[in-house]
Amino acid sequence: MSTNITAETPRDAGGARGGGSAEGKTNGTAAGGRKPGGGRPRVSYPVVLLAVAGALVALSLLRIVTGSDQVTSSGQYSSALAAAVPIGLAGLGGLWSERAGVINIGLEGMMMLGTFAAGWMGWQHGPWVAALAGIVGGALGGLIHAIATVTFGVDHIVSGVAVNILALGVVQFLAKLWFGAEGSAAANAGGNDKQSPPMEDMPTFTVPGLAEGLQAVEKHHWFLVSDLAGIVGSLVSNVSWLTVLAAALFVGSFYALWRSAFGLRLRSCGESPVAAETLGVNVLKYKYAAVTVSGALAGLGGAFLAIGVHIYQDQQTGGRGYIGLATMIFGNWRPGGVAMGAGLFGFMDALQLRAGGPTVHALLLLVAVMLAALALWKLRKGGVIQAAISGVIAVGLLVWYLMTDTVPLEFVEMSPYITTLLVLSLAAQRLRPPKAIGRSYRRGQGT
């Protein structure tokens, strides 16, 4: 029987070579990789750095042209970082699950379980225990999804929706039972049917000297220099240790999934589970592990929300699990892409907390310019219809910007979801999901 799993090179898989039986050579493709010499070339680090530098210059010019200092202020990016972490953790959780071939629509429900578990344990034992409880709560949701999809072969979308509905009912019922019961310790400590009692603050860190110096440079509003100081300043001042943990999880996930034999086998389950099993991989075990880890990461994202405001609240996730799913798709099922998408959506989400009307109004000009450039590029490539659509939207946004001074608060609240749709529509043509994603699998199916 021919397969489509190959051993990755040492550069691509680190120590994975020789690490397991799922590394047999076949048709010249790697699990989840591209044929040698074919497909799109990988984006190099210099190109990424050049893109980041270009984005910084664009934001600096935007600040000067529009006068909106919030575009690159440290306060805006501190809020954006806090908003990006739960979205990014949910997206990272979806990546683990879908790389193993299991679609995880239930990220929102797993985040709900994480917020509730964090609220329940946090007011009694502190924020670190709350984070651990959130991981356990989300992992339980992931385990339920794994049992339904991997063991019983339930449609992945149906199971994910069921997890979301089940989680919502469970947390609302338990909140009434544990937080809102008259005369209970939780009620006496400030809890009720809709929220938990408050918990202690999560410790933060600030780099002495550097944070103050960057703040001083930011206040001068120098072109590019002050903008860079504002962005970097948000990374070294009053940063939660959970944010550091989240960053470490992204790095760890990359090395676990792309630089180890374990990751090669797990990804092979999402590319060709039949081939993986013929080479000795326990496909069901890897799928269970991936979906459980997926739930744990989403649960930690939910715990971050509860810890950030010191309480669990009803409907606290606010659709961030779905936005996390969008970041995973936008990021092309790669940790770096998920992080970039989470940063973008976190930036838009943070605008709701910082009087984002003028800032969103300034961004209209930036989006109009970007769409105009996209229209010219599409026209050069022969895509007349796409170019026309992009051009019309660009003109509309430019007219909106010139005719107004701000945007309504309602539009600011919609902006994260509008950004989600816009980014996914632009990124759709380059996406490459795992080949066997969403397919039910039975042990011995290939024999």
Side-chain angles (χ1 to χ4, degrees):
M1 175 181 295
S2 65
T3 64
N4 63 355
I5 303 175
T6 98
E8 297 190 8
T9 64
R11 182 178 66 84
D12 288 335
R17 181 175 289 278
S21 59
E23 300 172 86
K25 290 186 177 181
T26 61
N27 296 336
T29 63
R34 298 180 179 88
K35 292 182 179 180
R40 295 186 182 90
R42 293 184 182 274
V43 179
S44 63
Y45 288 113
V47 172
V48 173
L49 293 175
L50 185 62
V52 171
L56 180 59
V57 171
L59 289 174
S60 301
L61 289 172
L62 182 68
R63 176 182 63 81
I64 292 175
V65 171
T66 63
S68 178
D69 293 336
Q70 287 294 329
V71 170
T72 56
S73 71
S74 58
Q76 169 63 31
Y77 281 87
S78 293
S79 299
L81 184 62
V85 170
I87 295 173
L89 287 172
L92 188 63
L95 183 149
W96 272 81
S97 178
E98 300 205 1
R99 275 293 178 180
V102 180
I103 298 174
N104 194 352
I105 300 294
L107 292 169
E108 178 77 3
M110 297 168 196
M111 288 188 76
M112 291 181 192
L113 294 173
T115 59
F116 178 83
W120 170 243
M121 297 300 293
W123 76 273
Q124 301 177 82
H125 304 290
W128 284 113
V129 176
L132 179 61
I135 292 173
V136 173
L140 290 175
L143 184 61
I144 292 172
H145 187 50
I147 292 172
T149 56
V150 179
T151 300
F152 293 103
V154 176
D155 181 91
H156 298 188
I157 304 297
V158 173
S159 175
V161 172
V163 168
N164 290 337
I165 297 173
L166 177 65
L168 178 61
V170 166
V171 298
Q172 289 182 339
F173 170 74
L174 292 180
K176 292 181 180 179
L177 185 66
W178 293 350
F179 298 150
E182 186 175 353
S184 65
N188 293 334
N192 56 51
D193 292 354
K194 300 295 183 181
Q195 68 180 43
S196 68
M199 70 179 79
E200 299 175 2
D201 289 335
M202 169 62 71
T204 62
F205 78 90
T206 298
V207 180
L210 180 59
E212 292 80 3
L214 290 172
Q215 288 176 1
V217 173
E218 180 189 357
K219 294 177 181 178
H220 288 287
H221 300 299
W222 294 326
F223 173 72
L224 199 60
V225 176
S226 293
D227 303 297
L228 181 61
I231 295 173
V232 176
S234 66
L235 304 177
V236 297
S237 179
N238 294 321
V239 179
S240 170
W241 284 106
L242 274 185
T243 301
V244 179
L245 175 61
L249 287 172
F250 271 88
V251 176
S253 293
F254 172 75
Y255 279 96
L257 294 177
W258 273 270
R259 294 291 187 268
S260 70
F262 166 81
L264 179 61
R265 297 187 190 108
L266 186 146
R267 289 185 292 116
S268 73
C269 296
E271 296 293 337
S272 180
V274 173
E277 187 175 61
T278 61
L279 295 173
V281 176
N282 189 331
V283 174
L284 301 186
K285 181 180 74 173
Y286 276 88
K287 285 180 179 286
Y288 259 92
V291 181
T292 303
V293 171
S294 173
L297 290 169
L300 179 60
F304 186 92
L305 292 172
I307 294 170
V309 296
H310 308 108
I311 57 173
Y312 155 80
Q313 293 175 309
D314 189 34
Q315 305 284 350
Q316 193 166 28
T317 55
R320 289 176 178 84
Y322 299 111
I323 299 180
L325 191 64
T327 66
M328 177 202 67
I329 298 172
F330 162 72
N332 212 3
W333 290 266
R334 303 279 297 194
V338 173
M340 291 176 60
L344 173 62
F345 300 133
F347 179 87
M348 300 305 297
D349 196 22
L351 293 175
Q352 303 178 46
L353 305 176
R354 299 186 59 82
T359 306
V360 174
H361 182 259
L363 291 174
L364 293 177
L365 179 60
L366 178 62
V367 176
V369 172
M370 293 174 62
L371 287 176
L374 177 64
L376 293 175
W377 183 74
K378 287 289 186 181
L379 187 61
R380 183 179 178 183
K381 294 291 185 179
V384 178
I385 296 178
Q386 297 95 326
I389 294 174
S390 299
V392 169
I393 297 175
V395 171
L397 290 177
L398 181 60
V399 171
W400 187 2
Y401 172 78
L402 294 174
M403 298 295 292
T404 59
D405 295 324
T406 186
V407 297
L409 178 60
E410 293 78 9
F411 185 82
V412 175
E413 295 174 349
M414 292 165 52
S415 59
Y417 310 102
I418 295 175
T419 303
T420 302
L421 294 174
L422 180 63
V423 168
L424 289 180
S425 64
L426 295 176
Q429 295 182 356
R430 69 173 182 84
L431 300 179
R432 194 278 188 194
K435 291 181 179 178
I437 190 170
R439 300 177 189 173
S440 297
Y441 181 77
R442 289 284 182 266
R443 190 188 303 273
Q445 185 173 312
T447 60

